[in-house]
Amino acid sequence: MDILRVIFALAVLLGLCALLSWDRKNIKWRYVLVGLGLQFLIAVMVLGWDFGRKGLDALSRGVTSIVEVSIVGASFVFGESWQEHFIAFAIPSAIIFISTLMALLYYFGIIQFVVRCMAAVMRWVMPVSGAESLAVCANVFIGNTESPLLIKPYIPKFTQSEIMAMMTGGMAT
């Protein structure tokens, strides 16, 4: 019974999206179905396989440990009493740290390599850019605020559609 409820909810959501679309004739249903298939495949890998669950957990712990370094930096810069003003210091510290780390990775060409790899995979599956798909994937691990920093140099070249996909992915996670 639960699976029928999920299928019904998905049909209603897709129907509403199509109904509210400006250009219904231009909806590429093949890409919608491929995207849903990818989500299902990832869900099976993460929820159904121990290897997938452990891999995602390891990746998540790695990103969390990188972000936690910003807490050590905040303590160093603002002193031990910085936690009294946690929101004022911790969040900007994390954003500055991630931004600096991404700038370094971009400088050394690592981000460009990752974007090229994501683009190759995503062009094979769906017609989305590597930078766009990388930002949406990064939302899961580093959040909506920091993930656009990962692809900051690419954003001025984005189309309206790519910006909307990035924003939608950020709000979805």
Side-chain angles (χ1 to χ4, degrees), residues 127-129 132 136 158-169:
V128 295
S129 71
E132 168 187 16
V136 172
F158 270 18
T159 63
Q160 283 186 331
S161 172
E162 290 171 323
I163 290 172
M164 185 63 181
M166 184 179 68
M167 290 170 48
T168 303

Side-chain angles (χ1 to χ4, degrees), residues 65-75 82 89-90 93-95 97-98:
S65 66
I66 289 172
V67 172
E68 285 175 350
V69 170
S70 68
I71 292 174
V72 175
S75 178
W82 73 274
F89 292 123
S93 298
I95 293 171
F97 176 76
I98 294 292

Side-chain angles (χ1 to χ4, degrees), residues 73-122:
S75 178
F76 176 75
V77 172
F78 302 116
E80 292 300 319
S81 64
W82 73 274
Q83 289 183 337
E84 295 172 13
H85 308 286
F86 183 78
I87 303 241
F89 292 123
I91 294 173
S93 298
I95 293 171
I96 291 168
F97 176 76
I98 294 292
S99 178
T100 304
L101 180 64
M102 292 310 131
L104 283 171
L105 293 175
Y106 188 83
Y107 177 78
F108 289 117
I110 296 168
I111 295 297
Q112 294 92 318
F113 175 75
V114 172
V115 166
R116 274 194 305 275
C117 291
M118 290 285 290
V121 170
M122 292 310 291

